[in-house]
Amino acid sequence: MFSAGLTAFVRRHVPTRDSVHSNRLLRPFAHRLTDPALWRLHRRSVPRAVALGLGIGVIIPFMHMIVAALLAIPLRANVAVAAGFTLFVNPLTIPPLYYAAYRTGQWELGRNDFAFKPPNVHVSGEAAQFMQWLHDASGPWALGILTIALAASLIGYAVSALLWRGLLAARWGRRRQRSVVD
């Protein structure tokens, strides 16, 4: 069964309390990270963690696991799931994701031009032209990244909450069938 294999995989790879306490980088946060609610797979903590991991993964393309894990503490989200869902953004998905963010930002700002060619502005030197182009393109990129992060977070939250609900319904159905048979 898929869920049993996934559960076993997660249990093997999630750090234990002792490993968190022994890690010198995590020691300042160890008293908060050892809270069992942050590591338990729960109907509220998992969708929060999925939304957090997807949102942070899109907004911050590097060191996103650490940021998501630290933000999971005050948000009461599952730390391991939040860190794991940041892996949606990886070296293979960054170029198409950021291209989509740029095009989305352009559409939201009402710009139809494609600014991947440095514009003809009156600045001297190629480095100055590149900096001007980067300045012109940063608005659509920033807006597009925020839009995609928000959309990914909302969709991730909704889908994970519905999947969680479906898994619970199936489990309760199997339990009811067993009690009827016995």
Side-chain angles (χ1 to χ4, degrees), residues 88-163:
F88 167 73
V89 178
N90 59 53
L92 295 176
T93 60
I94 285 176
L97 181 71
Y98 277 43
Y99 174 75
Y102 178 75
R103 296 300 282 184
T104 301
Q106 264 190 328
W107 176 76
E108 289 176 327
L109 292 173
R111 295 184 186 171
N112 293 330
D113 59 332
F114 188 65
F116 272 111
K117 249 192 276 179
N120 291 332
V121 289
H122 299 291
V123 289
S124 61
E126 291 199 23
Q129 283 184 345
F130 178 73
M131 293 305 288
Q132 180 65 37
W133 167 79
L134 195 60
H135 176 267
D136 293 341
S138 63
W141 257 318
L143 184 60
I145 287 170
L146 290 176
T147 302
I148 288 176
L150 181 64
S153 294
L154 291 174
I155 292 169
Y157 185 91
V159 167
S160 63
L162 289 173
L163 284 174

Side-chain angles (χ1 to χ4, degrees), residues 16-173:
T16 63
R17 284 188 198 176
D18 296 333
S19 67
V20 170
H21 276 293
S22 65
N23 188 323
R24 68 179 178 85
L25 295 175
L26 296 177
R27 219 172 276 140
F29 309 104
H31 65 285
R32 298 212 189 262
L33 281 172
T34 55
D35 182 6
L38 295 175
W39 298 94
R40 195 172 297 134
L41 296 174
H42 189 263
R43 69 182 174 94
R44 289 187 196 108
S45 68
V46 170
R48 285 181 197 159
V50 170
L52 177 66
L54 289 174
I56 293 298
V58 171
I59 292 172
I60 304 170
F62 55 92
M63 290 187 57
H64 44 257
M65 287 181 114
I66 295 167
V67 174
L70 291 176
L71 286 176
I73 296 169
L75 295 176
R76 308 293 295 161
N78 186 293
V79 174
V81 173
F85 266 86
T86 61
L87 297 176
F88 167 73
V89 178
N90 59 53
L92 295 176
T93 60
I94 285 176
L97 181 71
Y98 277 43
Y99 174 75
Y102 178 75
R103 296 300 282 184
T104 301
Q106 264 190 328
W107 176 76
E108 289 176 327
L109 292 173
R111 295 184 186 171
N112 293 330
D113 59 332
F114 188 65
F116 272 111
K117 249 192 276 179
N120 291 332
V121 289
H122 299 291
V123 289
S124 61
E126 291 199 23
Q129 283 184 345
F130 178 73
M131 293 305 288
Q132 180 65 37
W133 167 79
L134 195 60
H135 176 267
D136 293 341
S138 63
W141 257 318
L143 184 60
I145 287 170
L146 290 176
T147 302
I148 288 176
L150 181 64
S153 294
L154 291 174
I155 292 169
Y157 185 91
V159 167
S160 63
L162 289 173
L163 284 174
W164 192 269
R165 184 175 217 137
L167 287 171
L168 284 179
R171 191 177 294 163
W172 277 101

